[in-house]
Amino acid sequence: MSAESFKPIFMRIASSPSQLAVVRAVIEKVCELTGFDAKAAGRIMLSVDEALTNVIRHAYDGADDQPIEVEVATITDSPARSLRICLRDYGRVADPATIKSRDLANVRPGGLGVHIITECMDQVTYTPAEGGGTLLTMVKKLPSEKETRKT
Amino acid sequence: MSAESFKPIFMRIASSPSQLAVVRAVIEKVCELTGFDAKAAGRIMLSVDEALTNVIRHAYDGADDQPIEVEVATITDSPARSLRICLRDYGRVADPATIKSRDLANVRPGGLGVHIITECMDQVTYTPAEGGGTLLTMVKKLPSEKETRKT
Amino acid sequence: MNAQVPNASVKSVRWVDRAAIVYATGDIDLEHSTQFQQALLKLLDENPSYIVVNLKEVPYMDSSGVASLVKLLSRVRKSGAALRLVELNERVRSLFEITRLDSVFEIFGTEQEAIS
Amino acid sequence: MNAQVPNASVKSVRWVDRAAIVYATGDIDLEHSTQFQQALLKLLDENPSYIVVNLKEVPYMDSSGVASLVKLLSRVRKSGAALRLVELNERVRSLFEITRLDSVFEIFGTEQEAIS
Ligand SMILES: Nc1ncnc2c1ncn2[C@@H]1O[C@H](COP(=O)(O)OP(=O)(O)O)[C@@H](O)[C@H]1O
Ligand SMILES: Nc1ncnc2c1ncn2[C@@H]1O[C@H](COP(=O)(O)OP(=O)(O)O)[C@@H](O)[C@H]1O
């Protein structure tokens, strides 16, 4: 198995906190298969978890029965070989300018998710999706072939 | 989290052997969330893995780029509370009479998958799917509430 | 929801004099952070002089778990007590680094170090 | 595909006199069973008097992994040698029970028991 031969995976889950653990399990396994080490995998899992948490809390106001689509793919036909994770919701669309974390120095509960995502991923884009809702695209550079864990 | 509050999960993967590990990770986590112990979870994972292996080998003749859909849900509104896993392919439809394992006493490589599935799951049905391909439905009784691991 | 201790996220609490050592368990994410926080805040009723949260059995935590701990920290400080975190695995520790909270919380390797 | 030993499924082979102790690794499923089988069959070129397959580092195996071992067993028997499996975890052991192959293969707890 290598990032080159990894085929895209699509999932549809409900906006329920109990599904986060399932998506994390998928992301962890995909990261392992595509050559990330455990530390990098942890940061990617965390980013996806934070992004899903935000969809549940902000786009769906905590409703637990709304659809979230997750697509995981590798992009290996460009020089920037990368793992791409897309999250699509059908909820309230936020002004991109309001999607930002608080000042980290001002310690209070909450307000860390977006910081985590942008810190851990290489590219993060929120775009209004066709047909309503938001498409969040998160991209992380794949480890170079020589860094890759053999599987 | 309990089997009652578990929401259905839908996945679409490619018919590539490298995706089996991802689906196993999903099934393992779902089994944990819905109260199965590690042993029961192992048997359910194994059944799903064997069924996917058969789709890849028999329905798709080993092609690694064909779609397989996986749906995992709990059924808790009937007295037979259960976990239901459906696999849908778009490949060659087999005569259900030919979907059976060899005599176990006649030891030779292969021919064990269907036996494993029927031994480990409570209900297994292959039906021709609307629009082509096969829908395989596997059902396993959920552990009773008092057997359930607390999460 | 009841603020029960123990619950699904707090396995047990051990008292050593006026110190409460809290054994957290399981992934602390959006699903579990509310009960985690409730169990932690409930402890303050007992007026501990400090609280040690042992995270040895927490494989994973996200920002909602961190938020529960930040909430606890501010309440603990108001009451003049102290809060210490111990036995973070590499993943959980890295979450505190990413959020720059590794310098806000007192983090120790072991209970021993946190208590002495 | 080359029949290399070691490969992604066989980490190493240790020879004790004419016995080959094979250290398998990783999940042995449809993705890995072909190379697992190739590495095992390749060993027969060395004419071992028996082969011990250590499955300690195999978290998971499915019927395609079992098929590789059944194939090896029949080849080993033809050559007058023996095959023993050791250190199966509970999951892998249960696969042999489900497929009624626990009575066909010689399964031991440890290498020690398998060699002596
Ligand atoms: N998916 C989303 N949809 C709408 N608004 C969002 C979304 N994600 C983040 N936001 C906005 O960005 C802010 C910062 O998010 P975050 O850093 O995760 O902290 P928190 O969610 O705890 O406020 C949120 O308060 C919210 O206003
Ligand atoms: N999804 C499927 N589509 C078509 N035929 C199948 C499928 N699953 C099983 N079969 C048939 O059932 C037989 C027995 O399957 P199995 O017990 O898994 O052993 P094996 O696949 O090693 O032959 C297969 O040889 C095949 O003819």
Side-chain angles (χ1 to χ4, degrees):
Chain A
M1 178 58 211
S2 69
E4 273 58 32
S5 60
F6 180 78
K7 301 268 187 305
I9 290 182
F10 172 87
M11 286 183 90
R12 190 182 308 114
I13 60 164
S15 56
S16 160
S18 67
Q19 309 231 324
L20 295 177
V22 180
V23 180
R24 289 198 301 268
V26 169
I27 300 296
E28 183 164 35
K29 184 53 79 176
V30 169
C31 286
E32 184 191 320
L33 292 173
T34 53
F36 288 98
D37 65 24
K39 185 171 179 181
R43 293 168 68 101
I44 298 170
M45 276 166 76
L46 181 61
S47 300
V48 174
D49 173 296
E50 296 292 341
L52 289 170
T53 294
N54 280 345
V55 168
I56 296 172
R57 293 180 52 227
H58 302 300
Y60 288 133
D61 285 325
D64 71 352
D65 57 354
Q66 298 299 304
I68 305 176
E69 293 163 5
V70 182
E71 200 204 44
V72 187
T74 53
I75 298 162
T76 54
D77 56 359
S78 89
R81 299 169 66 254
S82 52
L83 180 70
R84 187 187 66 199
I85 301 160
C86 297
L87 303 186
R88 161 74 192 271
D89 67 64
Y90 295 82
R92 188 153 35 85
V93 180
D95 175 355
T98 67
I99 304 183
K100 58 168 195 280
S101 283
R102 63 169 168 77
D103 174 7
L104 292 193
N106 164 22
V107 176
R108 59 165 183 76
L112 296 169
V114 172
H115 165 76
I116 291 171
I117 299 167
T118 50
E119 175 102 354
C120 295
M121 302 300 286
D122 294 328
Q123 219 182 290
V124 179
T125 10
Y126 292 84
T127 44
E130 233 179 289
T134 300
L135 176 69
L136 165 56
T137 305
M138 294 177 281
V139 175
K140 183 77 185 177
K141 201 168 151 297
L142 285 165
S144 69
E145 257 134 320
K146 75 175 200 299
E147 291 161 359
T148 294
R149 291 191 273 195
K150 274 272 163 261
T151 51
Chain B
M1 178 57 210
S2 69
E4 272 59 31
S5 59
F6 179 80
K7 303 269 188 303
I9 290 181
F10 172 87
M11 287 182 90
R12 190 181 309 112
I13 60 164
S15 56
S16 158
S18 66
Q19 309 231 322
L20 295 176
V22 179
V23 179
R24 289 198 301 268
V26 168
I27 299 296
E28 182 164 36
K29 184 53 81 177
V30 169
C31 286
E32 184 190 320
L33 292 172
T34 54
F36 288 97
D37 65 25
K39 185 174 178 180
R43 294 167 65 101
I44 297 170
M45 276 165 75
L46 181 62
S47 300
V48 174
D49 173 297
E50 296 292 342
L52 289 171
T53 294
N54 279 345
V55 168
I56 296 172
R57 293 180 52 226
H58 302 300
Y60 288 133
D61 285 324
D64 71 352
D65 58 354
Q66 298 299 304
I68 305 177
E69 292 163 5
V70 182
E71 199 204 45
V72 188
T74 53
I75 299 162
T76 54
D77 56 0
S78 90
R81 299 168 66 254
S82 51
L83 180 70
R84 187 187 65 200
I85 300 159
C86 298
L87 303 186
R88 162 74 192 270
D89 68 64
Y90 294 82
R92 188 154 34 86
V93 179
D95 175 355
T98 66
I99 303 182
K100 58 167 197 280
S101 282
R102 63 168 167 80
D103 176 6
L104 293 194
N106 165 22
V107 176
R108 58 164 183 77
L112 295 170
V114 172
H115 165 77
I116 291 172
I117 299 167
T118 51
E119 175 103 354
C120 295
M121 302 300 287
D122 294 328
Q123 220 183 289
V124 179
T125 10
Y126 292 84
T127 44
E130 234 178 289
T134 300
L135 176 69
L136 165 57
T137 305
M138 294 177 282
V139 175
K140 184 77 185 178
K141 203 169 152 295
L142 285 165
S144 68
E145 256 133 321
K146 73 176 202 301
E147 291 161 358
T148 294
R149 292 191 273 195
K150 275 271 163 262
T151 50
Chain C
M1 250 181 271
N2 293 353
Q4 286 181 319
V5 186
N7 64 19
S9 295
V10 172
K11 200 171 66 171
S12 61
V13 180
R14 185 162 71 90
W15 287 88
V16 177
D17 301 324
R18 302 272 317 287
I21 306 173
V22 179
Y23 296 91
T25 186
D27 290 355
I28 316 267
D29 61 3
L30 186 62
E31 192 183 8
H32 296 104
S33 56
T34 308
Q35 59 186 353
F36 179 58
Q37 175 171 315
Q38 286 173 331
L40 292 174
L41 296 182
K42 180 85 188 150
L43 278 179
L44 296 174
D45 298 349
E46 318 278 333
N47 283 312
S49 57
Y50 56 103
I51 296 179
V52 176
V53 181
N54 187 322
L55 295 169
K56 185 180 178 162
E57 287 187 24
V58 173
Y60 178 82
M61 188 184 284
D62 70 10
S63 74
S64 63
V66 166
S68 301
L69 290 170
V70 169
K71 177 93 185 171
L72 176 68
L73 182 64
S74 76
R75 292 278 302 276
V76 157
R77 280 180 176 166
K78 264 178 215 148
S79 74
L83 171 63
R84 290 173 182 171
L85 310 181
V86 304
E87 300 221 40
L88 286 64
N89 72 18
E90 213 182 312
R91 237 168 222 184
V92 174
R93 172 172 274 282
S94 126
L95 173 64
F96 283 84
E97 288 160 11
I98 294 165
T99 55
R100 318 275 193 271
L101 290 168
D102 51 337
S103 57
V104 172
F105 284 93
E106 295 183 66
I107 299 176
F108 293 86
T110 64
E111 277 178 23
Q112 210 88 49
E113 296 168 56
I115 296 181
S116 62
Chain D
M1 250 180 271
N2 292 354
Q4 285 181 320
V5 187
N7 65 20
S9 295
V10 171
K11 200 172 66 171
S12 61
V13 180
R14 185 162 72 91
W15 287 88
V16 178
D17 299 324
R18 302 272 318 288
I21 308 172
V22 179
Y23 296 90
T25 187
D27 290 355
I28 315 266
D29 60 2
L30 186 61
E31 192 184 7
H32 296 103
S33 57
T34 308
Q35 60 187 352
F36 179 57
Q37 175 172 314
Q38 286 173 330
L40 293 174
L41 295 183
K42 180 87 187 147
L43 279 179
L44 295 174
D45 298 349
E46 318 278 333
N47 282 311
S49 57
Y50 55 104
I51 296 180
V52 176
V53 181
N54 188 322
L55 296 169
K56 185 178 179 166
E57 288 188 23
V58 174
Y60 178 82
M61 189 184 284
D62 70 10
S63 73
S64 64
V66 165
S68 300
L69 290 170
V70 169
K71 178 92 185 171
L72 176 68
L73 182 64
S74 76
R75 293 278 301 274
V76 156
R77 281 181 174 165
K78 263 178 217 149
S79 74
L83 171 63
R84 290 173 182 171
L85 310 181
V86 304
E87 301 222 41
L88 286 63
N89 73 16
E90 214 181 312
R91 237 168 222 185
V92 174
R93 172 172 274 282
S94 126
L95 172 64
F96 283 84
E97 289 161 10
I98 294 165
T99 54
R100 317 276 192 272
L101 290 168
D102 51 338
S103 57
V104 172
F105 283 93
E106 295 184 67
I107 299 176
F108 293 86
T110 64
E111 277 177 24
Q112 211 87 51
E113 295 167 56
I115 295 180
S116 64

